[in-house]
Amino acid sequence: MTLVIATATPFHGHVQPVLAVASDLVRRGHEVVVLTGSRFAEDVRAAGALHVSLPPEADFDDRKLELYFPERGALPAGPRQLDYDLKHVFGDPTAAQYRALHSLLARRFPASVVVSDPLFLGATALALSAPPGRRPVTVSLGITMPTLLSEDAPPIGLGMPPLVGEGAKKRHRDMNDQVREVFADAQRHVEDNFGESGTELPGFLLDCLVTVPDHYLQLTVPGFEYPRGDLPPSFRFVGPLPAAPPSGTRSLPDWWTEVEDADRPVVVVTQGSFDNRDLGRLVRPALDALAGEDVLVVAATGRADGPDRIRAAGPVPANARVAGYVPFDALLPHASVLVTNGGYGGVHQALRYGVPLVVGGDGEDKPEVAARVEWSGAGLDLRTGRPSPTVVRDAVRRVLAEPGFRKRAAGLREKFGRHDALGAIAEVVGGATAAAGPA
């Protein structure tokens, strides 16, 4: 048995994959403490682990970000918002996260391994606090695309695929230099936060997120990530996490037989389980776009009041069915296309079933996910988080008409099947006990 601390910044999209790993490690006989936001205590206990809340200066409710970070809402999605997030959402809690980790290790739970999401910078500070063997082994889970700058690919934030041809590497290096300049102030800000924890960043923050941990395990396959020849030895593709098993009795809508018996393509539309406050960004435009098409549209709004919100904005087309929650493990096997805002986990869930995608998302990592969907050939990138109905309709028509999209999605599904992410993580954890020194 290994003592493991799993840490996650208190965002739903960061906590859930960490909890999936924690639950699997508990099932394998390890003892796990999860250090994360207070609002996730019940989820942690359901995973079979012990919950420890982050200290108040590092804790927040991601459903009410405007209360904790009021300036953020006025910033446009893109570099300015990312600069703010690096400084304040992820940077400022660093020292408090580190102190909480150090206290937990020293007084209550002398773990051999710390598993974290990459933006829990307190774990990065822990990795820098002492050489390997004098601290726990650190394992970072690549819950979204790697941030490491490379001469083989553009930096994150641009939402563009790698350049090709003569001079591509130089242009990538030039873009990397520009990114370092753009985020120079954020770099200084975060360095100050690391200084408060008694550690020092050894390089550019976006590089350090990948290079500092003892193990960086990317939760995808090479076919969904831009090739790089300059990845560190600690980097490893382990495939995506499996879909969460159904919990309790699944509730299917009363129109479910229409999905099972559909004699026309089923187009699933979603804005994910979290970024769904404004269903007019993607769900409503998709319903309007596909109203006259020979398809069955299933809009999974991800919120209990979603159907009412949709109806308040206009009539539901005759070929559409709207629900608050639909189990995707039941729905996706029937889907011909998924129209989505591009969450990393949701996109991988669709590809697990070989479902091609139409992606319209902005903010956070969504433009980067969308770019990789198109680069991989598994779908189309709408290059906006608020597409017009015409744009959505044309994209869905194309994905349905051209078999190459489904073929490439099926190819990624086959590659996923060659990997066992949970098994690979457990292997690293199991082998880490001997490598870890005193906490």
Side-chain angles (χ1 to χ4, degrees), residues 112-408:
S112 301
V113 187
V114 172
V115 177
S116 68
D117 81 83
L119 284 164
F120 191 97
L121 299 185
T124 309
L126 177 71
L128 294 168
S129 67
R134 293 176 52 196
R135 54 156 175 82
V137 172
T138 56
V139 181
S140 185
L141 303 176
I143 62 173
T144 187
M145 67 288 304
T147 56
L148 183 71
L149 300 182
S150 171
E151 67 174 15
D152 296 321
I156 64 163
L158 301 180
M160 61 182 292
L163 302 171
V164 295
E166 186 177 353
K169 289 182 182 292
K170 181 181 184 304
R171 292 173 67 189
H172 291 149
R173 290 194 295 268
D174 290 342
M175 285 188 278
N176 292 341
D177 290 340
Q178 292 170 8
V179 165
R180 292 187 186 94
E181 291 177 11
V182 167
F183 294 114
D185 190 53
Q187 176 76 18
R188 288 189 289 270
H189 187 99
V190 174
E191 286 176 349
D192 289 343
N193 282 291
F194 272 80
E196 290 181 32
S197 65
T199 60
E200 182 178 348
L201 276 176
F204 185 50
L205 171 63
L206 297 182
D207 291 334
C208 291
L209 298 181
V210 176
T211 60
V212 167
D214 299 315
H215 300 272
Y216 187 96
L217 306 180
Q218 188 65 42
L219 299 177
T220 191
V221 297
F224 194 73
E225 184 50 59
Y226 306 146
R228 293 175 172 87
D230 43 14
L231 291 170
S234 56
F235 186 102
R236 177 181 173 191
F237 287 102
V238 297
L241 294 173
S247 58
T249 302
R250 295 192 301 179
S251 177
L252 296 172
D254 55 12
W255 41 259
W256 183 250
T257 56
E258 296 182 52
V259 174
E260 294 180 320
D261 301 335
D263 57 358
R264 51 185 171 166
V266 175
V267 179
V268 177
V269 183
T270 183
Q271 283 181 219
S273 57
F274 191 76
D275 186 18
N276 51 28
R277 295 185 184 183
D278 180 5
L279 296 172
R281 293 174 59 82
L282 182 61
V283 173
R284 186 73 235 188
L287 290 173
D288 295 339
L290 302 173
E293 302 295 296
D294 186 21
V295 298
L296 174 63
V297 182
V298 177
T301 64
R303 50 187 306 146
D305 64 350
D308 291 338
R309 287 183 173 227
I310 289 294
R311 295 185 185 100
V316 175
N319 68 338
R321 305 293 177 265
V322 181
Y325 303 97
V326 183
F328 266 47
D329 62 313
L331 179 57
L332 287 174
H334 300 284
S336 298
V337 183
L338 174 66
V339 181
T340 174
N341 64 339
Y344 198 73
V347 163
H348 279 81
Q349 188 176 6
L351 292 173
R352 275 196 169 279
Y353 293 94
V355 179
L357 303 113
V358 170
V359 186
D362 57 18
E364 293 90 33
D365 59 354
K366 292 178 176 62
E368 293 293 339
V369 176
R372 283 159 174 78
V373 166
E374 186 158 300
W375 171 82
S376 70
L380 293 175
D381 175 6
L382 300 183
R383 294 176 175 81
T384 176
R386 195 179 287 274
S388 69
T390 300
V391 167
V392 175
R393 181 173 60 248
D394 290 347
V396 171
R397 284 178 176 175
R398 184 179 168 194
V399 171
L400 288 174
E402 298 180 19
F405 293 109
R406 179 163 285 274
K407 180 179 179 181
R408 292 185 181 94

Side-chain angles (χ1 to χ4, degrees), residues 18-67:
V18 170
L19 284 187
V21 171
S23 178
D24 181 73
L25 292 175
V26 169
R27 183 183 63 82
R28 295 173 188 265
H30 302 297
E31 188 173 351
V32 183
V33 165
V34 178
L35 175 64
T36 191
S38 55
R39 91 167 182 93
F40 297 101
E42 185 176 336
D43 294 336
V44 172
R45 288 191 289 268
L50 174 67
H51 175 262
V52 174
S53 291
L54 288 165
E57 58 269 42
D59 197 4
F60 55 83
D61 188 333
D62 56 333
R63 299 166 297 184
K64 305 172 184 177
L65 281 183
E66 66 279 2
L67 299 180

